[in-house]
């Protein structure tokens, strides 16, 4: 009899867990993992004041660190054995905002989640715990807390910083004898690219080992509206809004004063790409399906991306990955040199509606992860993040793209990611999509500009 | 008597309750949200029919383009899928070696998930077609998925390939249900192959057509994953079907209330069309 009951209970449990798992797969979470383990510990193990078992949940957007985060949480068990942490990584194509919004309506907001920028502050403001009293606040580098500091209150711990620019296979340019160390204006880029283009076309590079696969200089990821929109639009947003995302957020209209620089840039990138004579073809060129394999195998020398691309390129070809570097990209405006767009990827935020014990546990975990020696090592060497705190000593990232981000930041060739202040969906659905129509020849540039202006005004009405 | 009535409701309850929880109640909540300015979070203010008025007079999110595109696609897809499914069913109900094997093969694409299928075909349309173009210079194989024409036909090919086998199974069942006596009688009367197809087989399987048309119509209207995987609705929204359009409004532009209004219109359209189609084909059915 008893056995039967247990079996029945097991059956129910398994059905429930299947249902839960299917629920996850709907959100297409790329890596779904959790560290379970018992939360009951003998009192001799636990250290200080609170040894009540606490369970906190994390939902985070970086699918790339899924496994590493699991290991970090495993390590944290020895620091705070009474805290059980389950986590879920949502990323690579799935917007964490979609998942968090669903959680918010369902009342299942995680204890720790990600948010950034003025518009997301509006969305999540009921769930954001004031973190101003946390010890890491005083160590954060200048500007790194800005995107989630409202009315002087700090709501987020910066996850890391990332740099967007032109990912370049430096060895190809070196072997072709072209100097790319000091490109500033659009003309500088055009000159360098045209030299390489000429050498590809006259076949003089066919004997050079690094160039044997080289087909074209650049590639335009026309299928990705986030590349055309969100990322590249900084070219004209930065000068128009003086590099301030909050200024963009508060603006009712957009003038598109520097849009021509964007046009010149896109025309240039197309001119030296595989699709120079068939521009329409570029609109199906994707990031992970085309651009990443093409630069990894040396088919192209330049793509517009950021340091996050390193991992995927490295997976395909380690030798090429070592030759990469990140160049600043051209930015509109009269006296503006090319610059790297610094993207503070996200902030860690703590759910203010969680219980006090959960909140304390969450804050302690974040503090351990970013400020303890053990944690710092994880952040830099295991996660591969670029630290945004001044007390990391000589811990620096090891991959060439992240190194370039650190170098460009310290030399001041960097601008803020103003696109974080644009209306929701404007960058991708309105501007990015219109640029696709420009590339395929269905819209003139003036029509693109008008679509962008109208879309902005409509969204801010 | 009273007891059995109680039993009736008792046995119906699990089904009724779950239907209410996952269909009825969300629909009602959805209709309510379509009357608000909800942004997916925070407060939802009641604004009456403003969303609907905007949708019908001043939509700027490509909704009506998507509507037309989806309707055209649904009609074309329903015809193509059912014709192909019926033809395959006729083929594999003929008695020849390997018929059973063929049934399995034709049905197989249906076992692959829509997203995976979309990505696999994206590879074919982009890489393989491009390679054919480079090798042969045939203009036909160039630039697939870059505009609404090739995007439309690509989606059609994928759907026919995927759903043809599924329809085939339904038609096989119907064809096998035709009594042998009727077939024999027609043979004695001297009916040839075509005559028998049009005068016996097709009228006898009309109930299956009712099911087939209904399934494919609602299926094509609500198509989402293949659309997302193949083109993401791009370039410039020109291959964006209704479901994707609503999704983009709700989750990319954060206009959840407005997206709900679209979804309500969508629901009403699909329901109306499906009911009309059901009534029409029901009339054409013959008693057996």
């Amino acid at each position: 009899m008893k056995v039967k009951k247990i079996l029945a209970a097991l059956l129910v449990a398994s059905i429930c867990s299947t249902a839960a798992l299917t629920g996850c797969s709907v959100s297409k979470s790329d890596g779904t993992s959790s560290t379970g383990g018992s939360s009951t510990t003998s009192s001799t193990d636990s250290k200080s004041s609170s040894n009540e078992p606490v369970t906190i949940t994390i939902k985070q957007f970086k699918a790339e660190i899924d496994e590493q985060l699991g290991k970090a949480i495993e390590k944290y068990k020895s620091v705070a054995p009474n805290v059980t942490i389950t986590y879920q990584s949502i990323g690579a194509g799935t917007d964490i905002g979609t998942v968090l919004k669903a959680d918010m309506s369902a009342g299942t907001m995680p204890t720790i989640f990600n948010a950034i920028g003025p518009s997301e502050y509006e969305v999540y403001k009921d769930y954001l715990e004031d973190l101003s009293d946390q010890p890491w606040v005083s160590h954060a580098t200048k500007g790194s807390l800005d995107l989630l500091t409202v009315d002087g209150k700090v709501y987020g711990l910066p996850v890391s910083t990332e740099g967007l620019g032109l990912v370049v296979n430096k060895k190809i340019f070196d072997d072709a004898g072209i100097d790319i160390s000091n490109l500033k204006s659009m003309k500088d880029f055009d000159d360098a690219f045209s030299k390489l283009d000429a050498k590809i076309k006259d076949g003089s590079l066919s004997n050079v080992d690094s160039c044997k696969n080289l087909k074209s200089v650049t590639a335009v990821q026309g299928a990705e509206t986030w590349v055309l929109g969100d990322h590249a639009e900084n070219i004209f947003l930065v000068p128009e809004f003086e590099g301030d995302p909050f200024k963009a957020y508060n603006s009712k209209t957009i003038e598109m004063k520097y849009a021509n620089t964007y046009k010149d840039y896109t025309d240039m990138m197309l001119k030296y790409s595989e699709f120079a004579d068939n521009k329409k073809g570029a609109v199906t060129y994707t990031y992970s399906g085309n651009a990443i394999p093409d630069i990894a195998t040396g088919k192209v020398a330049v793509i517009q991306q950021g340091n996050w691309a390193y991992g995927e390129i490295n997976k395909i070809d380690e030798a090429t990955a070592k030759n990469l570097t990140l160049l600043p990209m051209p930015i509109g405006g009269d006296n503006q040199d090319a610059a790297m767009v610094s993207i503070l990827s996200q902030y860690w935020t703590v759910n203010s509606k969680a219980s006090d014990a959960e909140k304390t546990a969450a804050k302690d975990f974040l503090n351990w992860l970013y400020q303890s020696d053990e944690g710092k090592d994880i952040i830099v060497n295991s996660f591969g993040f670029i630290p945004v705190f001044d007390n990391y000593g000589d811990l620096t990232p090891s991959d060439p793209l992240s190194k370039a981000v650190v170098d460009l930041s310290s030399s001041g060739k960097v601008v803020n990611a103003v696109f974080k202040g644009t209306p929701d969906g404007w960058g991708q659905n309105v501007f990015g999509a219109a640029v696709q129509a420009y590339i395929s020849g269905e819209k003139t540039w003036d029509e693109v500009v008008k679509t962008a202006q109208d879309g902005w005004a409509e969204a801010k009405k | 008597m009273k007891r059995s009535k109680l039993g009736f409701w008792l046995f119906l309850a699990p089904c009724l309750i779950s239907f209410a929880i996952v269909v009825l109640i969300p629909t009602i909540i959805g209709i309510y949200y379509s009357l608000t300015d909800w942004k997916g979070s925070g407060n939802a203010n009641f604004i009456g029919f403003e969303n609907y008025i905007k949708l019908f007079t001043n939509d700027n999110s490509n909704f009506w383009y998507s509507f037309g595109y989806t309707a055209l696609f649904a009609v074309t897809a329903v015809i193509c899928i059912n014709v192909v499914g019926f033809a395959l069913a006729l083929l594999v109900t003929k008695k020849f070696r390997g018929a059973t094997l063929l049934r399995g093969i034709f049905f197989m694409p249906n076992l692959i998930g829509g997203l995976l299928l979309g990505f696999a075909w994206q590879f074919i349309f982009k890489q393989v077609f491009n390679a054919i173009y480079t090798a042969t210079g045939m203009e036909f194989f160039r630039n697939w998925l870059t505009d609404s024409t090739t995007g439309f036909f690509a989606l059609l090919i994928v759907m026919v390939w995927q759903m043809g086998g599924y329809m085939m199974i339904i038609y096989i069942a119907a064809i096998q249900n035709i009594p042998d006596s009727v077939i024999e009688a027609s043979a004695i009367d001297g009916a040839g192959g075509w005559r028998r197809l049009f005068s016996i087989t097709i009228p006898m399987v009309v109930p299956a057509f009712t099911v087939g048309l209904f399934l494919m119509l609602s299926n094509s209207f609500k198509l989402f994953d293949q659309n997302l995987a193949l083109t993401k609705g791009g370039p410039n929204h020109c291959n964006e079907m209704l479901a994707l359009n609503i999704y983009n409004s709700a989750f990319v532009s954060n206009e959840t209330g407005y997206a709900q209004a679209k979804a309500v219109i969508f629901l009403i359209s699909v329901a109306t069309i499906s009911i009309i189609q059901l009534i029409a084909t029901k009339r054409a059915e013959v008693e057996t």
Side-chain angles (χ1 to χ4, degrees):
Chain A
M1 229 15 230
K2 216 177 175 187
V3 179
K4 256 189 178 170
K5 264 189 182 163
I6 294 171
L7 276 177
L10 273 178
L11 193 68
V12 170
S14 71
I15 290 169
C16 291
S17 64
T18 329
L21 286 175
T22 350
C24 291
S25 74
V26 170
S27 70
K28 282 174 282 171
S29 59
D30 229 39
T32 306
S33 343
S34 58
T35 49
S38 85
S39 50
T40 46
T41 43
S42 61
S43 54
T44 44
D45 275 5
S46 46
K47 281 178 182 171
S48 55
S49 54
S50 65
N51 47 14
E52 289 285 304
V54 180
T55 302
I56 61 174
T57 53
I58 300 176
K59 279 201 182 158
Q60 64 95 21
F61 76 110
K62 265 209 169 302
E64 302 94 300
I65 61 156
D66 186 69
E67 220 182 302
Q68 293 89 323
L69 181 62
K71 282 182 193 149
I73 289 170
E74 204 60 44
K75 266 189 191 164
Y76 188 63
K77 265 191 191 162
S78 61
V79 180
N82 60 319
V83 179
T84 307
I85 302 176
T86 60
Y87 75 100
Q88 198 184 349
S89 306
I90 298 145
T94 308
D95 182 13
I96 191 172
T98 313
V99 178
L100 289 177
K101 265 173 231 160
D103 280 346
M104 208 153 34
S105 1
T108 55
M109 275 300 262
T111 329
I112 297 176
F113 59 98
N114 298 126
I116 191 167
S119 61
E120 286 189 14
Y121 169 77
E122 283 300 320
V123 175
Y124 301 120
K125 63 183 171 199
D126 297 341
Y127 293 87
L128 294 175
E129 171 82 354
D130 182 3
L131 301 175
S132 311
D133 60 346
Q134 291 298 299
W136 43 260
V137 170
S138 59
H139 293 294
T141 51
K142 190 174 171 290
S144 64
L145 301 175
D146 288 0
L147 275 167
L148 207 60
T149 298
V150 181
D151 300 332
K153 285 182 182 158
V154 177
Y155 291 104
L157 167 72
V159 171
S160 85
T161 186
E162 296 188 309
L164 163 72
L166 299 174
V167 172
V168 172
N169 188 333
K170 195 166 176 296
K171 194 162 192 320
I172 289 179
F173 283 92
D174 286 348
D175 290 351
I178 299 162
D179 178 27
I180 51 164
S181 56
N182 202 19
L183 306 179
K184 281 182 176 163
S185 65
M186 192 79 76
K187 192 170 173 306
D188 297 341
F189 284 95
D190 200 309
D191 287 348
F193 292 174
S194 74
K195 275 183 208 155
L196 186 63
D197 191 52
K199 290 195 179 194
I200 296 171
K201 283 185 179 138
D202 68 16
S204 62
L205 294 172
S206 52
N207 294 324
V208 181
D209 197 43
S210 65
C211 306
K212 62 179 190 296
N213 289 331
L214 192 62
K215 295 276 187 307
S216 51
V217 183
T218 59
V220 176
Q221 295 146 65
E224 312 290 3
T225 48
W226 54 276
V227 176
L228 301 173
D230 284 348
H231 285 177
E233 75 199 19
N234 287 293
I235 292 171
F236 59 83
L237 290 176
V238 167
E240 175 158 354
F241 296 108
E242 292 155 10
D244 182 1
F246 280 88
K247 202 170 172 197
Y249 183 70
N250 292 321
S251 172
K252 292 266 179 223
T253 54
I254 183 165
E255 202 182 332
M256 303 285 289
K257 197 174 165 192
Y258 301 93
N260 270 334
T261 316
Y262 181 100
K263 177 180 177 287
D264 294 344
Y265 167 78
T266 304
D267 288 346
M268 173 184 80
M269 294 296 273
L270 278 170
K271 188 166 68 176
Y272 299 118
S273 79
E274 173 190 355
F275 297 103
D277 305 319
N278 173 32
K279 297 200 170 87
K280 204 179 172 189
V283 296
T284 59
Y285 195 90
T286 60
Y287 165 69
S288 50
N290 302 105
I292 291 293
D294 280 2
I295 190 149
T297 54
K299 270 177 80 182
V300 300
V302 182
I303 60 171
Q304 175 205 311
Q305 276 303 336
N307 59 300
W308 54 81
Y310 176 81
E312 284 173 71
I313 298 170
N314 193 44
K315 257 185 237 161
I316 301 175
D317 192 322
E318 288 181 21
T320 315
K322 284 193 185 70
N323 297 331
L324 297 175
T325 190
L326 189 74
L327 291 187
M329 61 195 276
I331 300 286
D334 294 335
N335 300 312
Q336 176 71 53
D337 288 342
M340 175 184 82
V341 179
S342 150
I343 303 178
L344 276 163
S345 46
Q346 275 286 6
Y347 290 93
W348 295 111
T349 54
V350 174
N351 181 355
S352 58
K353 295 197 174 173
S355 73
D356 283 342
E358 285 166 4
K359 283 196 272 196
T360 313
K363 287 174 190 171
D364 287 350
F365 173 68
L366 290 177
N367 209 19
W368 171 80
L369 188 57
Y370 277 81
Q371 291 296 311
S372 72
D373 289 339
E374 209 179 4
K376 285 176 188 170
D377 182 60
I378 292 171
I379 292 296
V380 176
N381 293 325
S382 168
F383 291 3
F385 284 176
I386 301 166
V388 282
F389 297 94
D390 61 8
N391 56 353
Y392 270 59
D394 48 6
L395 272 173
T396 46
S398 54
D399 76 80
L401 289 182
S402 299
K403 268 189 189 144
V405 173
V406 175
D407 291 347
L408 286 166
S409 306
S410 56
S411 64
K413 291 178 186 168
V414 41
V415 291
N416 258 334
V418 181
F419 81 91
K420 298 269 185 195
T422 57
D424 292 336
W426 180 84
Q428 295 188 28
N429 274 354
V430 180
F431 179 70
V435 172
Q436 285 186 325
Y438 169 71
I439 292 174
S440 66
E442 279 169 29
K443 268 191 168 135
T444 65
W445 183 250
D446 289 341
E447 284 168 342
V448 174
V449 170
K450 180 137 189 2
T451 308
Q453 288 165 334
D454 292 350
W456 185 293
E458 172 74 25
K460 290 282 180 182
K461 211 160 55 182
Chain B
M1 203 57 208
K2 212 179 172 190
R3 245 182 98 125
S4 80
K5 215 170 196 178
L6 183 72
F8 171 79
W9 286 109
L10 213 63
F11 278 105
L12 196 63
C15 183
L16 209 60
I17 292 171
S18 41
F19 181 74
I21 291 174
V22 301
V23 180
L24 275 182
I25 298 174
T27 311
I28 293 165
I29 298 175
I31 292 172
Y32 166 71
Y33 275 124
S34 76
L35 301 171
T36 66
D37 64 352
W38 199 38
K39 295 271 177 210
S41 66
N43 291 334
N45 303 315
F46 189 81
I47 54 167
F49 286 94
E50 215 166 283
N51 284 329
Y52 292 93
I53 295 166
K54 187 183 165 200
L55 184 57
F56 281 102
T57 57
N58 188 25
D59 174 68
N60 62 344
S61 62
N62 244 7
F63 179 76
W64 296 108
Y65 173 84
S66 291
F67 197 99
Y69 185 92
T70 309
L72 184 65
F73 177 80
V75 172
T76 328
V78 164
I79 296 169
C80 292
I81 292 171
N82 282 290
V83 168
V84 169
F86 188 65
L88 290 179
L90 283 179
L91 181 72
V92 298
T93 45
K94 296 271 178 290
K95 288 176 181 62
F96 62 94
R97 279 178 76 86
T100 331
L101 180 71
L102 277 184
R103 279 184 206 188
I105 291 172
F106 289 144
F107 186 69
M108 224 171 271
N110 195 55
L111 301 174
I112 308 171
L115 275 176
L116 205 62
L117 205 79
F119 285 123
W121 276 92
Q122 190 195 50
F123 176 80
I124 295 175
F125 288 128
K126 279 167 59 181
Q127 253 76 338
V128 178
F129 273 34
N130 213 22
I132 296 176
Y133 167 73
T134 321
T136 64
M138 282 163 77
E139 216 30 64
F140 176 79
F141 291 104
R142 199 181 194 199
N143 285 342
W144 272 68
L145 304 180
T146 60
D147 52 32
S148 56
T149 319
T150 50
F152 184 90
F153 284 107
L155 202 57
L156 193 64
I157 291 170
V158 175
M159 282 306 286
V160 170
W161 188 75
Q162 185 189 16
M163 300 312 295
Y166 186 68
M167 284 296 105
M168 176 191 76
I169 298 290
I170 292 178
Y171 290 129
I172 288 175
I175 290 171
Q176 282 174 342
N177 263 340
I178 301 172
D180 285 341
S181 54
V182 186
I183 308 267
E184 268 171 40
S186 73
I188 290 166
D189 285 345
W194 287 109
R195 187 80 234 164
R196 197 153 66 225
L197 175 66
F198 285 107
S199 302
I200 307 288
T201 314
I202 290 182
M204 295 294 277
V205 299
V206 166
F209 276 120
T210 314
V211 177
L213 289 178
F214 174 74
L215 273 181
M216 285 308 108
L217 194 67
S218 61
N219 213 338
S220 318
F221 251 102
K222 295 184 298 189
L223 193 67
F224 181 80
D225 33 5
Q226 286 86 342
N227 191 211
L228 181 77
L230 207 55
T231 58
K232 274 192 217 157
N236 193 23
H237 307 294
C238 76
N239 290 310
E240 196 172 82
M241 296 185 70
L242 272 183
L244 192 58
N245 181 286
I246 293 171
Y247 172 87
N248 276 338
S249 266
F251 293 114
V252 182
S253 303
N254 281 342
E255 295 179 317
T256 318
Y258 189 54
Q260 275 297 346
K262 288 181 183 182
V264 170
I265 298 294
F266 184 33
L267 171 73
I268 293 171
S269 324
V270 176
T272 317
I273 295 167
S274 302
I275 289 169
I276 292 173
Q277 177 262 323
L278 268 182
I279 293 170
T281 36
K282 274 275 180 206
R283 276 197 194 138
E285 284 177 20
V286 285
E287 293 289 324
T288 47

